[in-house]
């Protein structure tokens, strides 16, 4: 394969031959191709796309550029991937809940990206919780505990690491074939047989429209099918934040409420629905309804909490120690009475970032205690002077800087808004 001919082929809108595409990915991973040729090819893919067959080959080649985990367990393995959102803490109660109803959940999660939070940052706000385990330990704990949650290792899909870094600086991130191969190569390398995708759309999500989310979901499912995994997807609304907390330790607190059978209704609904789809798709229950009913029991009777405690203990986390708490937690009051019609997820995500909950530069360390709590949700009625949310930070200046932004992001109306649909569509192969 001559690199410039390969680039020209995609520039001219043609499909690559399998052997050439595999050779190309191997050369990306071993560093033998220079950045300028890989970047030119990425732009050609961005502009001209790929067929479903090419996407599957690209994914497979990227997955095999590094270590691939495999399991031989009594329980079926399943995992989920969320495309990311504001207040999206679902993975944290979901993994132990799935373990409680009979799945094994090997979960490799990410850090916060832009305004969206990351599961690893949230877990690390639990004193001692270690997300940097070697793959051998990841496999052992998935088997012995039923779930394990760690971060990406250097050995998993290294071709994606190079391609992602180049996409980030060449304007080629929002390409469906490249996003699909990037997500799927890592998820497939992690070894779970059943995968659920929570593809979010709206102001607080990567995909702004339902139509784009649907296309991405179709490609994720189709690529999984071609590579022998069972996949399904939920398309979920991320125009408004999930739950009443945004920020790492605050979201752990809310996750513990969910694991105690309480917590906000939207977080509970999505956690239960995802668990039910994963368990049903993995063949554990004859119907989706049976899987949902079993998940409800496990959330309400403490079984899921027991699995969470076991996972924390196995990964060094000490739930007996207090979670980080911000020195300031200041209320933001409603100026008028009314029904909460809308809470703008993107604006709330930006405000949480300003309060210190995320990273402005990749090298930043998020403040585990910072963020927003006691946040009102669409449909709530507020009196003038009642609390819209509380703002948590390590200094009052940060809080002062976001007050107006948050006030603007919460719309109040005299009449109740129409009920909101959180899970808008379910897709399977
Ligand atoms: N997440 C990934 O892992 N890759 C992408 O390209 C986008 C989101």
């Amino acid at each position: 394969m001559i690199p410039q001919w390969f680039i020209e082929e995609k520039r001219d809108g043609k499909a690559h031959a399998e052997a050439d595409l595999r050779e190309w990915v191997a050369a990306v991973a071993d560093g033998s191709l220079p950045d300028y040729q890989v970047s030119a090819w990425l732009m050609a893919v961005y502009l001209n796309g790929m067929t479903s067959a090419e996407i599957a080959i690209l994914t497979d080649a990227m997955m095999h550029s590094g270590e691939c985990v495999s399991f031989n367990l009594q329980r079926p393995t399943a995992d989920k991937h969320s495309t990311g959102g504001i207040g999206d803490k679902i993975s944290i109660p979901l993994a132990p809940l799935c373990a409680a109803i009979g799945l094994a959940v090997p979960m490799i999660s990410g850090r916060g990206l832009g305004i969206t939070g990351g599961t690893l940052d949230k877990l690390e706000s639990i004193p001692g919780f270690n997300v940097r385990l070697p793959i051998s330990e990841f496999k052992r704990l998935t088997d012995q505990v039923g779930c394990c949650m760690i971060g990406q290792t250097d050995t998993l899909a290294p071709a994606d690491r190079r391609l992602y870094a180049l996409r980030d600086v060449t304007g080629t991130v929002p390409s469906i074939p490249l996003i699909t191969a990037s997500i799927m190569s890592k998820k497939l390398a992690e070894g779970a047989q059943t995968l659920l995708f929570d593809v979010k759309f709206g102001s607080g999500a990567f995909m702004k429209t339902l139509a784009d989310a649907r296309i991405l979901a179709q490609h994720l499912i189709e690529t999984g099918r071609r590579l022998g995994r069972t996949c399904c997807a939920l398309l979920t609304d991320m125009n408004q934040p999930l739950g009443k907390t945004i920020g790492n330790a605050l979201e752990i607190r809310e996750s513990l409420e969910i694991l105690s059978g309480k917590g906000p209704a939207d977080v509970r609904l999505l956690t239960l629905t995802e668990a039910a789809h994963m368990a049903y798709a993995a063949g554990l229950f004859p119907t989706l309804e049976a899987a949902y009913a079993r998940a409800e029991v496990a959330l309400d009777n403490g079984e899921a909490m027991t699995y969470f405690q076991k996972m924390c203990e196995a990964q060094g986390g000490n739930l007996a120690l207090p979670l980080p708490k911000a020195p300031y937690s200041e209320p933001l009051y409603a100026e008028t009475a009314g029904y909460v019609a809308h809470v703008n997820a993107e604006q709330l995500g930006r405000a949480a970032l300003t309060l210190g909950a995320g990273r402005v530069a990749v090298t930043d360390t998020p403040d585990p205690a910072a963020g927003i709590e006691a946040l009102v949700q669409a449909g709530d009625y507020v009196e003038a002077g009642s609390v819209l949310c509380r703002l948590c930070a390590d200094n009052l200046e940060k809080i002062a800087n976001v007050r107006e932004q948050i006030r603007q992001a919460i719309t109040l109306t005299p009449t109740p808004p129409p009920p909101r649909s959180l899970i808008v569509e379910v897709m399977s192969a």
Side-chain angles (χ1 to χ4, degrees):
M1 186 234 350
I2 308 290
Q4 49 272 49
W5 295 352
F6 184 81
I7 298 165
E8 285 166 18
E9 189 169 71
K10 194 42 75 185
R11 179 200 66 191
D12 296 339
K14 297 187 184 129
H16 294 307
E18 173 164 355
D20 290 347
L21 192 45
R22 288 190 184 279
E23 198 182 329
W24 179 263
V25 174
V28 168
D30 70 19
S32 54
L33 281 170
D35 284 354
Y36 54 82
Q37 286 185 315
V38 181
S39 302
W41 176 76
L42 287 169
M43 184 56 80
V45 173
Y46 173 86
L47 293 171
N48 290 324
M50 281 186 148
T51 64
S52 297
E54 279 179 296
I55 297 173
I57 296 162
L58 175 64
T59 303
D60 191 57
M62 285 167 64
M63 165 172 89
H64 285 104
S65 68
E67 188 176 1
C68 294
V69 185
S70 63
F71 290 95
N72 186 14
L73 309 179
Q74 297 293 327
R75 297 158 167 244
T77 49
D79 186 19
K80 79 114 187 200
H81 175 84
S82 160
T83 56
I86 313 298
D88 182 5
K89 68 274 298 169
I90 304 297
S91 292
I92 293 156
L94 178 70
L97 173 59
C98 286
I101 64 174
L103 291 167
V105 186
M107 194 179 271
I108 296 185
S109 301
R111 299 208 173 266
L113 193 65
I115 58 168
T116 64
T119 300
L120 298 183
D121 297 325
K122 292 170 200 180
L123 288 171
E124 279 182 344
S125 70
I126 300 170
F129 198 104
N130 184 5
V131 296
R132 295 166 200 263
L133 301 179
I135 292 293
S136 54
E137 192 63 358
F138 174 63
K139 286 182 70 167
R140 188 181 71 78
L141 293 182
T142 301
D143 185 18
Q144 290 181 4
V145 177
C147 55
C148 183
M149 300 171 85
I150 64 165
Q152 173 79 9
T153 70
D154 287 344
T155 55
L156 243 83
D160 177 61
R161 204 161 314 114
R162 179 150 185 234
L163 288 174
Y164 198 91
L166 287 174
R167 284 167 61 205
D168 209 17
V169 292
T170 55
T172 52
V173 169
S175 149
I176 297 265
L178 297 176
I179 295 172
T180 304
S182 170
I183 292 174
M184 290 302 280
S185 60
K186 287 173 290 200
K187 277 288 146 184
L188 296 178
E190 164 202 285
Q193 183 55 36
T194 298
L195 293 172
L196 171 85
F197 302 101
D198 179 0
V199 184
K200 300 197 174 292
F201 65 91
S203 73
F206 201 42
M207 296 283 138
K208 298 296 173 200
T209 67
L210 175 60
D212 282 349
R214 193 179 289 126
I215 294 170
L216 177 58
Q218 276 162 350
H219 278 95
L220 291 168
I221 292 171
E222 173 60 14
T223 304
R225 190 193 64 77
R226 283 175 182 263
L227 296 175
R229 308 291 170 97
T230 308
C231 296
C232 51
L234 305 180
L235 304 186
T236 64
D237 182 351
M238 189 26 79
N239 285 297
Q240 307 199 44
L242 266 173
K244 291 169 163 284
T245 56
I246 303 168
N248 298 310
L250 297 170
E251 293 191 43
I252 292 290
R253 235 170 251 137
E254 193 167 273
S255 301
L256 291 170
E257 284 174 26
I258 294 293
L259 286 163
S260 308
K262 303 187 207 99
D266 57 344
V267 180
R268 179 178 164 93
L269 173 73
L270 195 50
T271 306
L272 286 168
T273 306
E274 291 190 1
H277 277 281
M278 287 163 69
Y280 174 61
L284 276 182
F285 295 91
T287 63
L288 186 60
E289 292 70 28
Y292 193 98
R294 176 68 186 94
E296 261 189 312
V297 170
L299 211 50
D300 292 336
N301 72 4
E303 284 175 272
M305 178 66 102
T306 303
Y307 274 87
F308 182 70
Q309 287 163 341
K310 279 199 252 175
M311 179 179 75
C312 280
E313 196 178 319
Q315 296 194 230
N318 189 344
L319 288 168
L321 292 176
L323 290 166
K325 205 165 181 333
Y328 299 97
S329 169
E330 296 289 307
L332 177 73
Y333 296 112
E335 284 173 344
T336 55
Y339 288 94
V340 178
H342 187 74
V343 180
N344 184 304
E346 182 175 13
Q347 291 308 324
L348 268 286
R350 286 182 194 279
L353 199 66
T354 309
L355 289 168
R359 292 178 185 77
V360 178
V362 261
T363 47
D364 287 352
T365 306
D367 174 354
I372 298 165
E373 64 177 335
L375 178 63
V376 289
Q377 295 187 285
D380 290 351
Y381 181 76
V382 294
E383 300 284 358
S386 63
V387 175
L388 290 173
C389 63
R390 300 187 73 90
L391 310 173
C392 307
D394 60 3
N395 74 57
L396 288 172
E397 201 186 327
K398 287 183 189 164
I399 292 177
N401 284 342
V402 299
R403 277 183 180 279
E404 199 40 43
Q405 181 182 7
I406 297 184
R407 198 184 293 290
Q408 297 289 331
I410 301 174
T411 312
L412 300 181
T413 51
T415 50
R420 176 179 172 227
S421 190
L422 173 63
I423 302 162
V424 173
E425 219 167 288
V426 178
M427 295 170 65
S428 55

PDB file of all heavy atoms in Angstrom, residues 314-331:
ATOM      1  N   ALA A 314     -13.365  -3.641  46.827  1.00  0.00           N
ATOM      2  CA  ALA A 314     -12.374  -4.351  46.002  1.00  0.00           C
ATOM      3  C   ALA A 314     -11.457  -3.368  45.277  1.00  0.00           C
ATOM      4  O   ALA A 314     -10.314  -3.686  44.958  1.00  0.00           O
ATOM      5  CB  ALA A 314     -13.089  -5.235  44.990  1.00  0.00           C
ATOM      6  N   GLN A 315     -11.933  -2.154  45.019  1.00  0.00           N
ATOM      7  CA  GLN A 315     -11.118  -1.179  44.288  1.00  0.00           C
ATOM      8  C   GLN A 315     -10.541  -0.101  45.222  1.00  0.00           C
ATOM      9  O   GLN A 315     -10.122   0.959  44.763  1.00  0.00           O
ATOM     10  CB  GLN A 315     -11.947  -0.551  43.150  1.00  0.00           C
ATOM     11  CG  GLN A 315     -12.342  -1.595  42.109  1.00  0.00           C
ATOM     12  CD  GLN A 315     -12.870  -1.021  40.799  1.00  0.00           C
ATOM     13  OE1 GLN A 315     -13.915  -1.431  40.334  1.00  0.00           O
ATOM     14  NE2 GLN A 315     -12.144  -0.098  40.194  1.00  0.00           N
ATOM     15  N   GLY A 316     -10.531  -0.391  46.514  1.00  0.00           N
ATOM     16  CA  GLY A 316      -9.841   0.496  47.467  1.00  0.00           C
ATOM     17  C   GLY A 316     -10.683   1.651  47.968  1.00  0.00           C
ATOM     18  O   GLY A 316     -10.197   2.482  48.737  1.00  0.00           O
ATOM     19  N   GLY A 317     -11.925   1.772  47.539  1.00  0.00           N
ATOM     20  CA  GLY A 317     -12.762   2.910  47.940  1.00  0.00           C
ATOM     21  C   GLY A 317     -13.299   2.722  49.348  1.00  0.00           C
ATOM     22  O   GLY A 317     -13.693   1.620  49.721  1.00  0.00           O
ATOM     23  N   ASN A 318     -13.307   3.792  50.125  1.00  0.00           N
ATOM     24  CA  ASN A 318     -13.781   3.708  51.502  1.00  0.00           C
ATOM     25  C   ASN A 318     -15.043   4.561  51.666  1.00  0.00           C
ATOM     26  O   ASN A 318     -14.975   5.778  51.808  1.00  0.00           O
ATOM     27  CB  ASN A 318     -12.683   4.185  52.453  1.00  0.00           C
ATOM     28  CG  ASN A 318     -13.049   3.912  53.896  1.00  0.00           C
ATOM     29  OD1 ASN A 318     -14.217   3.649  54.213  1.00  0.00           O
ATOM     30  ND2 ASN A 318     -12.068   3.967  54.768  1.00  0.00           N
ATOM     31  N   LEU A 319     -16.180   3.883  51.659  1.00  0.00           N
ATOM     32  CA  LEU A 319     -17.457   4.619  51.749  1.00  0.00           C
ATOM     33  C   LEU A 319     -17.744   5.095  53.180  1.00  0.00           C
ATOM     34  O   LEU A 319     -18.656   5.896  53.379  1.00  0.00           O
ATOM     35  CB  LEU A 319     -18.606   3.730  51.253  1.00  0.00           C
ATOM     36  CG  LEU A 319     -18.645   3.498  49.737  1.00  0.00           C
ATOM     37  CD1 LEU A 319     -19.618   2.374  49.388  1.00  0.00           C
ATOM     38  CD2 LEU A 319     -19.019   4.772  48.992  1.00  0.00           C
ATOM     39  N   ALA A 320     -16.950   4.625  54.133  1.00  0.00           N
ATOM     40  CA  ALA A 320     -17.155   5.079  55.515  1.00  0.00           C
ATOM     41  C   ALA A 320     -16.602   6.492  55.707  1.00  0.00           C
ATOM     42  O   ALA A 320     -17.004   7.214  56.609  1.00  0.00           O
ATOM     43  CB  ALA A 320     -16.476   4.121  56.472  1.00  0.00           C
ATOM     44  N   LEU A 321     -15.659   6.877  54.843  1.00  0.00           N
ATOM     45  CA  LEU A 321     -15.104   8.231  54.941  1.00  0.00           C
ATOM     46  C   LEU A 321     -16.033   9.211  54.232  1.00  0.00           C
ATOM     47  O   LEU A 321     -16.703   8.842  53.257  1.00  0.00           O
ATOM     48  CB  LEU A 321     -13.712   8.281  54.279  1.00  0.00           C
ATOM     49  CG  LEU A 321     -12.612   7.502  55.002  1.00  0.00           C
ATOM     50  CD1 LEU A 321     -11.309   7.545  54.204  1.00  0.00           C
ATOM     51  CD2 LEU A 321     -12.392   8.082  56.404  1.00  0.00           C
ATOM     52  N   PRO A 322     -16.093  10.475  54.694  1.00  0.00           N
ATOM     53  CA  PRO A 322     -17.002  11.418  54.030  1.00  0.00           C
ATOM     54  C   PRO A 322     -16.536  11.756  52.616  1.00  0.00           C
ATOM     55  O   PRO A 322     -15.334  11.773  52.335  1.00  0.00           O
ATOM     56  CB  PRO A 322     -16.938  12.662  54.931  1.00  0.00           C
ATOM     57  CG  PRO A 322     -15.711  12.504  55.751  1.00  0.00           C
ATOM     58  CD  PRO A 322     -15.377  11.042  55.831  1.00  0.00           C
ATOM     59  N   LEU A 323     -17.493  12.003  51.738  1.00  0.00           N
ATOM     60  CA  LEU A 323     -17.161  12.467  50.383  1.00  0.00           C
ATOM     61  C   LEU A 323     -16.704  13.921  50.479  1.00  0.00           C
ATOM     62  O   LEU A 323     -17.110  14.637  51.408  1.00  0.00           O
ATOM     63  CB  LEU A 323     -18.401  12.386  49.486  1.00  0.00           C
ATOM     64  CG  LEU A 323     -18.871  10.976  49.122  1.00  0.00           C
ATOM     65  CD1 LEU A 323     -20.280  11.011  48.533  1.00  0.00           C
ATOM     66  CD2 LEU A 323     -17.903  10.337  48.129  1.00  0.00           C
ATOM     67  N   PRO A 324     -15.877  14.378  49.525  1.00  0.00           N
ATOM     68  CA  PRO A 324     -15.438  15.778  49.572  1.00  0.00           C
ATOM     69  C   PRO A 324     -16.638  16.733  49.588  1.00  0.00           C
ATOM     70  O   PRO A 324     -17.634  16.486  48.912  1.00  0.00           O
ATOM     71  CB  PRO A 324     -14.644  15.938  48.271  1.00  0.00           C
ATOM     72  CG  PRO A 324     -14.312  14.563  47.831  1.00  0.00           C
ATOM     73  CD  PRO A 324     -15.344  13.644  48.379  1.00  0.00           C
ATOM     74  N   LYS A 325     -16.522  17.792  50.395  1.00  0.00           N
ATOM     75  CA  LYS A 325     -17.616  18.768  50.532  1.00  0.00           C
ATOM     76  C   LYS A 325     -17.033  20.149  50.285  1.00  0.00           C
ATOM     77  O   LYS A 325     -15.970  20.483  50.828  1.00  0.00           O
ATOM     78  CB  LYS A 325     -18.173  18.668  51.955  1.00  0.00           C
ATOM     79  CG  LYS A 325     -19.596  19.118  52.083  1.00  0.00           C
ATOM     80  CD  LYS A 325     -20.161  18.624  53.428  1.00  0.00           C
ATOM     81  CE  LYS A 325     -21.586  18.973  53.685  1.00  0.00           C
ATOM     82  NZ  LYS A 325     -22.203  20.071  53.144  1.00  0.00           N
ATOM     83  N   ALA A 326     -17.707  20.948  49.484  1.00  0.00           N
ATOM     84  CA  ALA A 326     -17.182  22.278  49.155  1.00  0.00           C
ATOM     85  C   ALA A 326     -17.290  23.212  50.361  1.00  0.00           C
ATOM     86  O   ALA A 326     -18.266  23.125  51.105  1.00  0.00           O
ATOM     87  CB  ALA A 326     -17.954  22.858  47.984  1.00  0.00           C
ATOM     88  N   PRO A 327     -16.321  24.115  50.546  1.00  0.00           N
ATOM     89  CA  PRO A 327     -16.419  25.069  51.659  1.00  0.00           C
ATOM     90  C   PRO A 327     -17.637  25.987  51.532  1.00  0.00           C
ATOM     91  O   PRO A 327     -18.153  26.463  52.520  1.00  0.00           O
ATOM     92  CB  PRO A 327     -15.123  25.880  51.571  1.00  0.00           C
ATOM     93  CG  PRO A 327     -14.335  25.348  50.445  1.00  0.00           C
ATOM     94  CD  PRO A 327     -15.061  24.208  49.816  1.00  0.00           C
ATOM     95  N   TYR A 328     -18.083  26.230  50.296  1.00  0.00           N
ATOM     96  CA  TYR A 328     -19.259  27.084  50.101  1.00  0.00           C
ATOM     97  C   TYR A 328     -20.344  26.320  49.344  1.00  0.00           C
ATOM     98  O   TYR A 328     -20.057  25.658  48.347  1.00  0.00           O
ATOM     99  CB  TYR A 328     -18.893  28.345  49.295  1.00  0.00           C
ATOM    100  CG  TYR A 328     -17.863  29.183  50.006  1.00  0.00           C
ATOM    101  CD1 TYR A 328     -16.508  29.064  49.675  1.00  0.00           C
ATOM    102  CD2 TYR A 328     -18.230  30.069  51.015  1.00  0.00           C
ATOM    103  CE1 TYR A 328     -15.545  29.805  50.346  1.00  0.00           C
ATOM    104  CE2 TYR A 328     -17.275  30.813  51.688  1.00  0.00           C
ATOM    105  CZ  TYR A 328     -15.938  30.680  51.351  1.00  0.00           C
ATOM    106  OH  TYR A 328     -14.994  31.417  52.011  1.00  0.00           O
ATOM    107  N   SER A 329     -21.581  26.412  49.806  1.00  0.00           N
ATOM    108  CA  SER A 329     -22.733  25.871  49.093  1.00  0.00           C
ATOM    109  C   SER A 329     -23.822  26.934  49.203  1.00  0.00           C
ATOM    110  O   SER A 329     -24.534  27.023  50.202  1.00  0.00           O
ATOM    111  CB  SER A 329     -23.181  24.549  49.746  1.00  0.00           C
ATOM    112  OG  SER A 329     -24.429  24.158  49.215  1.00  0.00           O
ATOM    113  N   GLU A 330     -23.892  27.782  48.199  1.00  0.00           N
ATOM    114  CA  GLU A 330     -24.721  28.991  48.266  1.00  0.00           C
ATOM    115  C   GLU A 330     -26.019  28.815  47.495  1.00  0.00           C
ATOM    116  O   GLU A 330     -25.997  28.356  46.347  1.00  0.00           O
ATOM    117  CB  GLU A 330     -23.946  30.164  47.657  1.00  0.00           C
ATOM    118  CG  GLU A 330     -22.694  30.528  48.437  1.00  0.00           C
ATOM    119  CD  GLU A 330     -23.036  31.174  49.772  1.00  0.00           C
ATOM    120  OE1 GLU A 330     -23.798  32.154  49.772  1.00  0.00           O
ATOM    121  OE2 GLU A 330     -22.570  30.663  50.813  1.00  0.00           O
ATOM    122  N   PRO A 331     -27.151  29.210  48.075  1.00  0.00           N
ATOM    123  CA  PRO A 331     -28.422  29.066  47.352  1.00  0.00           C
ATOM    124  C   PRO A 331     -28.589  30.113  46.261  1.00  0.00           C
ATOM    125  O   PRO A 331     -28.080  31.223  46.373  1.00  0.00           O
ATOM    126  CB  PRO A 331     -29.469  29.284  48.454  1.00  0.00           C
ATOM    127  CG  PRO A 331     -28.766  30.077  49.507  1.00  0.00           C
ATOM    128  CD  PRO A 331     -27.307  29.759  49.430  1.00  0.00           C
TER     129      PRO A 331
END
